[in-house]
Every structure is written in C-alpha cells, then in structure tokens.
Amino acid sequence: MSYQTALLVIDAQESFRHRDYFRDDEFAPYIARQQALIDGAKAAGIPVVQIFHVEDSGVFGEASGLVKAIAPLKIAPDAVFRKRRHSALVGSGLDVWLTRHGVRRVIVSGIRTEQCCETTTRHASDLGYAVDFVSEATLTFPMVDRSGREWSAAEIRARTELVLAGRFARIVSVEEALAGEARSAAA
C-alpha cells in the first residue's frame, strides 16, 4: 500500500518514567496532544509508526520490560521500529519502510523534543522528506547547561522550534499537521 504521509511516534515509552529527570508537570498536556494526533492520523488513514529507543541494558533495555508505549497512550501502530541512535532513520529500517510505502512527508512527535525528535527531523529533511514537527505533541524535561543555568521544557521546545522552522520543518499544531494531509490528498 502507498501513502503520502506517515506519523512518527518517537520514543513515547515507559523507559522515561524511570529516569531521574522525568517530571509529570507537562506530561498530561503532552499525552492529550499525542493521543489526538494518533487518533486523528488513524481517522485520516495516515499510517502510525511507533519507534522505540533500545539499549543493551538499563531502563531502555528490552529485558527491563519498559520498552513499551507509555501509559496511558493508546496506540495501534501500522509499523514498529527499534533504534539505537538519536535519529529514527539510522539502522532501524524506517527509511526503507517509508520508501517502500511511497511516503514523502513525515509528521514528527514523541519524547524528547530536542533529542530524538529534533535529530530525526533534521535527518528526514536532509533525506528529502517534507517534515511537520508537532512540538505540542513532543515532551521534554528541564536541562542544566554547562554554566549551571536551568532551561525549562518550554524554553527547550522554543529553541527547537527556532532552529527547525523554515530550515528543516514546518512547525505545526496537531490540527495543522492533520489538515496538511487533507491538502496533500486534495492536490
């Protein structure tokens, strides 16, 4: 089957709950937007691709039992890939799947905004995909830089939007990402 667009749900997995930096303060709004994006994609006939980050051991190790969708997210993916790098397009088979299915546009969502979501966005753009980055359907956590300044999740998200917008992606809301598919189908 051929599709124009695919939704990527990157690293939305239980492993993150077991990291010391995990915070609940932005989790509920993220889950609501991520679920709306998944549900909207399914309703529009856009394949949902779930990507998990895996490592040899620890909370990202398969043996941990935590490499599964983060609760309460409900997802019935059309394809599942496992990655060991920041970009979901490195060594996972995702690019092969996208190419086989005729996908030319990807919608990026998931956990962490500035790491795997941003890296996958840049890589996808460099490979020639049109990319919609749905930052409201991404989650990240505060970070401390080398000078000791703490950057809030909102600041990190704003920085990611700044460096991606117009260069590597179109920054969109859930509704705009889904409307983009309607425009593509009508063309």
Side-chain angles (χ1 to χ4, degrees):
M1 180 169 270
S2 184
Y3 308 100
Q4 273 190 261
T5 300
L7 168 61
L8 307 182
V9 181
I10 301 170
D11 301 350
Q13 63 194 73
E14 282 295 325
S15 307
F16 282 104
R17 285 191 201 273
H18 300 274
R19 291 290 203 196
D20 59 357
Y21 53 73
F22 185 86
R23 295 196 188 167
D24 282 328
D25 50 337
E26 296 195 22
F27 185 69
Y30 156 71
I31 285 292
R33 300 314 290 155
Q34 182 71 82
Q35 193 67 62
L37 186 58
I38 291 166
D39 294 346
K42 282 292 192 181
I46 299 169
V48 175
V49 179
Q50 187 170 26
I51 297 122
F52 292 110
H53 185 83
V54 296
E55 296 175 359
D56 291 335
S57 61
V59 298
F60 287 90
E62 297 277 6
S64 72
L66 301 171
V67 180
K68 60 184 179 184
I70 196 163
L73 195 64
K74 291 175 181 52
I75 183 169
D78 297 282
V80 177
F81 296 91
R82 284 168 165 63
K83 66 179 185 60
R84 291 182 169 272
R85 301 285 185 253
H86 290 99
S87 173
L89 293 158
V90 173
S92 66
L94 174 60
D95 189 39
V96 172
W97 187 92
L98 294 171
T99 300
R100 278 190 186 145
H101 288 88
V103 173
R104 297 307 316 141
R105 175 176 162 258
V106 293
I107 302 169
V108 175
S109 64
I111 303 175
R112 293 182 66 177
T113 308
E114 78 293 350
Q115 288 186 33
C116 296
C117 295
E118 182 177 328
T119 303
T120 300
T121 296
R122 289 172 182 267
H123 193 170
S125 175
D126 283 351
L127 289 174
Y129 293 96
V131 183
D132 280 353
F133 189 88
V134 188
S135 56
E136 67 181 1
T138 69
L139 179 67
T140 197
F141 313 98
M143 295 173 68
V144 177
D145 68 20
R146 67 187 187 137
S147 66
R149 176 182 181 252
E150 182 174 284
W151 292 65
S152 71
E155 289 172 318
I156 294 167
R157 199 168 8 269
R159 178 236 158 248
T160 293
E161 289 180 2
L162 171 68
V163 300
L164 293 180
R167 295 170 190 86
F168 298 97
R170 190 173 72 120
I171 308 301
V172 295
S173 67
V174 167
E175 293 76 17
E176 290 166 333
L178 297 171
E181 177 59 21
R183 281 195 307 275
S184 295

